[in-house]
Amino acid sequence: MGAGEKLSVESKRSTSFPLGIVVRRTVGVTRWAKHVWKAVAILPGAPKAHWKELRREGDAVEYHAATVNLELHRTDTDAYLSGLSARDPAIYIIMRPALDDRPLDIVLATASPYEAQDYADTGEELVEKVPMPEGLIALIRDFIDEHHEEEVFIKRRRDKKRIDLEEDGIGDARIRQMADVYRAPNAKKEAIH
């Protein structure tokens, strides 16, 4: 695509770029957990990786675990604004236990705290908050500036119809009297022979 060409409508609705995920393994503190895994950093624009060891300090080892695409969608700009307005803007890394030889499966990286909360609510995934670098903050802010549209709050008005004038569906329909519509109907007593 040349410099003068415009992006297609589809490419303007969302954008994505690669993020390398750095995961640290430390020794577990209980006999039930041999290791503790924690996402500690991101590498914007990183090439593909498969649990490549980056550095080792004593028992702690850091891996470039995977490279996933951070996707930004124009319909989620409210969530991105919420994330950027936090004291420490972050990227959320969603991980789950892997079914193969890898220790963890890196599922997703997101800038939306709402999406991260959805994954945290299931309890099946591990959600880690990683600080967002300044360059990534600027890129997401530019995306928001281009796509965000404020939603105007419109208060819903109640209709004036009186719904308390008709007693439809109150009590048990098998009771013919209006005295106590909430009592249970009498069971027919059969004569014992």
Side-chain angles (χ1 to χ4, degrees):
M1 176 165 62
E5 294 179 38
K6 288 188 175 183
L7 294 172
S8 69
V9 173
E10 287 300 314
S11 63
K12 288 188 126 263
R13 290 183 181 170
S14 66
T15 188
S16 68
F17 44 90
L19 282 184
I21 309 302
V22 178
V23 177
R24 179 181 296 144
R25 182 190 75 191
T26 56
V27 177
V29 293
T30 68
R31 62 181 169 160
W32 295 279
K34 291 182 181 180
H35 302 289
V36 175
W37 299 91
K38 182 172 177 62
V40 293
I42 56 174
L43 306 169
K48 297 253 182 229
H50 180 76
W51 291 92
K52 179 182 175 185
E53 186 173 324
L54 296 177
R55 103 179 144 160
R56 185 179 290 262
E57 288 182 15
D59 291 334
V61 183
E62 288 186 357
Y63 297 94
H64 179 183
T67 299
V68 296
N69 282 334
L70 174 67
E71 295 185 5
L72 300 176
H73 300 278
R74 71 177 183 179
T75 56
D76 293 337
T77 56
D78 280 335
Y80 306 145
L81 272 171
S82 176
L84 290 181
S85 66
R87 187 167 41 108
D88 298 319
I91 293 293
Y92 300 89
I93 311 301
I94 290 82
M95 304 177 288
R96 66 172 61 119
L99 300 175
D100 53 11
D101 63 335
R102 299 172 296 167
L104 291 170
D105 185 20
I106 310 299
V107 178
L108 177 71
T110 182
S112 168
Y114 305 158
E115 187 174 16
Q117 183 63 47
D118 289 343
Y119 279 99
D121 287 345
T122 67
E124 296 177 14
E125 288 86 10
L126 178 64
V127 179
E128 294 286 345
K129 187 176 178 181
V130 177
M132 192 183 301
E134 291 295 323
L136 194 54
I137 291 173
L139 192 133
I140 293 172
R141 193 172 307 280
D142 289 345
F143 183 82
I144 291 168
D145 289 344
E146 183 179 347
H147 295 287
H148 185 67
E149 295 176 11
E150 280 294 327
E151 286 188 35
V152 178
F153 176 74
I154 300 172
K155 184 174 180 179
R156 184 178 65 93
R157 297 190 183 267
R158 295 181 184 212
D159 35 344
K160 305 281 184 196
K161 183 179 177 188
R162 297 271 317 256
I163 60 171
D164 60 337
L165 298 177
E166 187 178 328
E167 291 188 9
D168 185 29
I170 293 179
D172 192 327
R174 297 173 287 177
I175 300 175
R176 298 188 201 282
Q177 63 189 12
M178 289 299 293
D180 187 4
V181 294
Y182 295 106
R183 73 176 174 83
N186 292 333
K188 291 185 178 182
K189 296 179 183 178
E190 295 184 24
I192 302 177
H193 293 94

